Amino acid sequence: MLAFQNCGGGGGGGSEGGGTASLASCDALSFTSQSAMALSTSIDSNTLTMADCTGAVALSVAGDGSPELFKNGVLVSGISTITNGDTLRVRLTSSASQSSNYQATVSVGGSVSIFSVTTGDFTPAAFTFVPATGQALSTVVTSAQTTVAGFDGSLTATVSGAGAPVILVNGTSIGASAPVQAGNAISVRLTSSATENVTRQATVTIGGVSATFDVTTTGDATAPSITSLAVPAIGSYKQATNLDFTANFTEAVTVTGSPRIILNIGGAAKYAAYVSGTGSTSLIFRYTVEAGVNDGDGILVGSFQLNGGGITDSSANPADLSLLPLITSGVIVDTTVPSVQSATAPINGNYSVGQNLDFALTFNEIVNVTGTPRLTLTVGAATRYANYLSGSGTSTLQFRYAILSGDTDTDGIAGASNIDLNAGAMSDIATNAANLSFTPPNTSSLKVHENPKSCKEILSVLPLSLDGIYTIDPDDAGPNAPVTAYCNMSRDGGGWTAILKNGYGNGFLPATGDGSVTGWDLTGGPSYNLADTSIRAIVGPSQNFDVMGDQVGYVTPNTTGNFEYVIIRNYTGNWRIDIDMPASTTTTVMNSYRISDGALAWTGNLQCGAAGGGGRGINCFTVLSNNPQGGAGCTINMGTSSDVGWHNIYMYNYNSDSYIFICNGAQYSSFSAFTPTAMKHRWYIRERN
């Protein structure tokens, strides 16, 4: 019991200033101590009821945490008193530090009582989660439980990390945060990665203490393999060009060292070395074409060779380097420069204005041409060019020069030994530029003049020439001007130059030539003859030539329209009448053909001598016959009337310089009397080389 005493001065009881008075008091107070309290928190003591108080007792408080008193539930301000039956409670703010004690001292009269408040320990003991390895992809994984301990009261647990983690307390899923107390069993749940061999981590934090839960997906046990190998595009590749191969894998791969692909190019082992691509799904390998390497039927791809290096995935699985079947037959390697193997010129002969000189160059391979390359020619003293005509994309190129007016070259044109590109280009499929040097053909017998010398020359250069009138210059560069002449380009190989048309018995025309060739085909038309000088030039110095005779128009009932033409072949010597002439120095053959179908109707050998039948010169009344039709002698059996005289050959009227006038060589179809205007004999010659 607290005793409160009143002290007075002297005298009897109760009087002031007398004796000693006792102080008022109450029973002793006892506050229950508080422990494991939260930090910096208002803490109330237990409430006490005052008892055995002898009166109003003085009341006060002092101490830590700004203590306050509540009497009968009301905060007491300043000095107060308390009496029997009043209630008393103390409040203070706990320490801001863990495990720290604050005390409030309450004085009730002369009695002192302590209210003690001790803060708790809020740092949990370290805790851990067992990692989860070898987990399936994209799967919810829950850690094993771990019990938290070592702290007072309740704390908030939080979780962060990949895979949408949540906290479970005592097996119940709470969320990204949860209140926990010592002794609780906690675990973590998250979703594993969708990629092999990847770790996702969730971190749980309680009172500043953290632990991680690692979830690792299953490791990569699958080796990368090749899905495709892209080869160079179909084409032809020359020296210093690249052949690139792209290997595509099922997953990203890492390259170490210098792996390569083995190639077979023209029977030799070559290598496409690794260039780039490590860390990706595509690797590039390259072979650069070397000089002298060729493969005309397509390269072959062998196998991969690690060559001391490696190709692996991120899990160090070695790649499966097996190749799929490849088609590389169109990948050609060509380092050979195209060059001319042979050069051909036009056929030997004389060429004239408007005719073409065609040259051909044959290369060792196909060449492509752009622009207009050309060959350089020397015609006379002038430089001329045979321009590219055709052949690009083949191994033979055609060049052509069209002879110009004024071009002459009597000793043969000349050709240069180099192709003039003329700003164009010539290369093979692989774009190897062509070697422009070549051995030119022999052109010493290619002669050029303004006009052809004869119909035969025209036909030799232009084989498709038709019958008709042409301009020729028999003496070429001689004094005589070019003339017009009729050419038969169809009979017996063609090339016949017309020299004479006249009626039976009307003799020669002037030696200088007369009449117009435009009437050559007219029945009974005007007479015509080519000048003797032109005839001599056509025959040439060898004096070896063929003669053809036919007729235009006829009088019949004797022949029923069976025309014929006669060819006297390989006669050597002058046909003259003013002097005796010897027999031909060669065996001269005379053939007779039906005009209707060209069939050989009669053949024989001429026996022509000096004088015969009372005349001079060549008379061939005798013909040795070998008759294909089975007839005897000179009888041809081509009509209702036959006469051996129809095939007599003799010369009639003449001038001193005439070459030929033969009558009755072609079938004579006049009836009983001469009808010069109704029938004309026509004669042609063709030089024989």
Side-chain angles (χ1 to χ4, degrees), residues 582-668:
S584 172
T585 58
T586 60
T587 300
T588 304
V589 178
M590 180 174 177
N591 293 333
S592 179
Y593 301 88
R594 285 197 297 256
I595 290 179
S596 60
D597 58 6
L600 179 64
W602 177 91
T603 183
N605 295 333
L606 293 183
Q607 285 189 329
C608 303
R616 299 170 60 84
I618 299 171
N619 291 281
C620 302
F621 285 105
T622 302
V623 177
L624 298 180
S625 174
N626 177 15
N627 186 358
Q629 304 296 325
C634 292
T635 302
I636 192 170
N637 298 322
M638 291 184 68
T640 58
S641 175
S642 298
D643 187 335
V644 294
W646 287 1
H647 292 93
N648 293 340
I649 302 296
Y650 67 95
M651 301 195 72
Y652 191 58
N653 296 342
Y654 65 92
N655 60 47
S656 60
D657 199 25
S658 293
Y659 257 65
I660 184 170
F661 174 59
I662 306 173
C663 190
N664 279 8
Q667 182 181 355
Y668 175 39

Side-chain angles (χ1 to χ4, degrees), residues 328-349:
T328 54
S329 58
V331 181
I332 307 301
V333 174
D334 181 5
T335 63
T336 301
V337 174
S339 58
V340 178
Q341 289 183 317
S342 63
T344 58
I347 59 175
N348 293 333

